[in-house]
Amino acid sequence: MYTLTFISSRGDRVRERTISGRLVLLFSLAIFALFSAAIGGLGYGFFQKSQRNDSEKRLQMNLEKLDELTRTKLQIESEFAAVNAEMSGIRDMVQEIQQTLGILGQGGGESNIAWTSEDTDEPLDAQQEYGTVIDAASYVDENQEALTPKTLKQEIQPLYNYVISYQQWIDEYPSILPVKLQQSDGKKHAFWYSSEFGRRIHPLTRQREFHQGLDIKTRAGVPVIAAADGTVTGVGRRGYLGKAVELVHDAPQLKTLYAHLQDYANDLKEGQRVTRGQVIGYVGNTGRSTGAHLHYGIYDLTKGKWVNPRSHILDQQPTFSP
């Protein structure tokens, strides 16, 4: 038991109260509980405030990231639009090139490239001359697919193949004089055509015969060069033609022959690839010949006959006439 004494402020009155220990314990526990609740409430308030601050910071960071992503998205969209415009421009250029070359196959323009037949004045279409490369069905029509790098590549690839094939045809077309006239000291060897392609009186047999090539008269030892890119299919003596070299040019389906050689270029052998202007031998007088010269022949594999080399040689006029 506990006694509580209460004295007035003037000291004239005194009161006493008796309470049990159990009541004192309950009162103490109540005070402690209130204190604990107050402390817990303050702690929870600080925790909530901290959580709210963290949430606000995370929200602010997310908003900043969202703004950055939005700006990046807008930039990417702008760049993509520019790339798409560039690809559209490329597509337009491809179609213009196709129309110019006449390879659209859908009402495109006519090809401006034409070649003249050996035997007639009738022009030959370039595609007929070296083979059709483009399948017209491979080109897109008016209902074109959505423009993507993949579809653009698919549209450009046939044109690329066409150009590469045409370039190969050009590289393998014998179009130059097959002798190297320019000397290292700057001077040039003289030359002329001593016997043309066609019927003639042979200078040795005095018999009328068909001359299947073009005789190019120049000094002995002058380098003989490949008239175009090709593959060596023959190196050696060839009857009355003496020492000879034969090249095959696959793209235009032609064969060139270089005969009456003095000798061959070092290490020249069958199966070897040569390029236009490469030295393959030297002008000589071997075989049935009356003097140093080069017998130059061109054989059309598709027609199965020899053709006039003069019509293939570009911009090389004889130095003088015999």
Side-chain angles (χ1 to χ4, degrees), residues 171-176 178 212-213 224-235 238 241 244-250 252-259 261 274-276 280 294-301 305-309 312-313:
D171 291 341
E172 295 192 2
Y173 188 83
S175 58
I176 65 172
Q212 297 177 333
V224 174
I225 57 179
D229 295 0
T231 302
V232 179
T233 54
V235 180
R238 189 162 173 169
L241 292 174
V245 173
E246 181 182 85
L247 306 180
V248 167
H249 314 277
D250 291 325
Q253 286 292 287
L254 296 173
K255 179 174 66 176
T256 52
L257 176 67
Y258 313 80
L261 301 179
V274 294
T275 58
R276 176 182 283 117
I280 58 175
L294 172 68
H295 173 89
Y296 176 50
I298 298 180
Y299 187 81
D300 190 320
L301 295 170
K305 64 179 182 179
W306 295 94
V307 294
N308 191 352
H312 292 72
I313 299 174

Side-chain angles (χ1 to χ4, degrees), residues 257-311:
L257 176 67
Y258 313 80
H260 300 305
L261 301 179
Q262 182 183 84
D263 208 346
Y264 315 106
N266 291 335
D267 301 324
L268 189 73
K269 56 184 180 295
E270 291 187 20
Q272 177 181 341
R273 286 289 296 176
V274 294
T275 58
R276 176 182 283 117
Q278 180 176 335
V279 175
I280 58 175
Y282 302 90
V283 173
N285 189 29
T286 59
R288 193 170 67 180
S289 171
T290 58
H293 72 284
L294 172 68
H295 173 89
Y296 176 50
I298 298 180
Y299 187 81
D300 190 320
L301 295 170
T302 59
K303 297 178 181 178
K305 64 179 182 179
W306 295 94
V307 294
N308 191 352
R310 280 286 294 266
S311 61

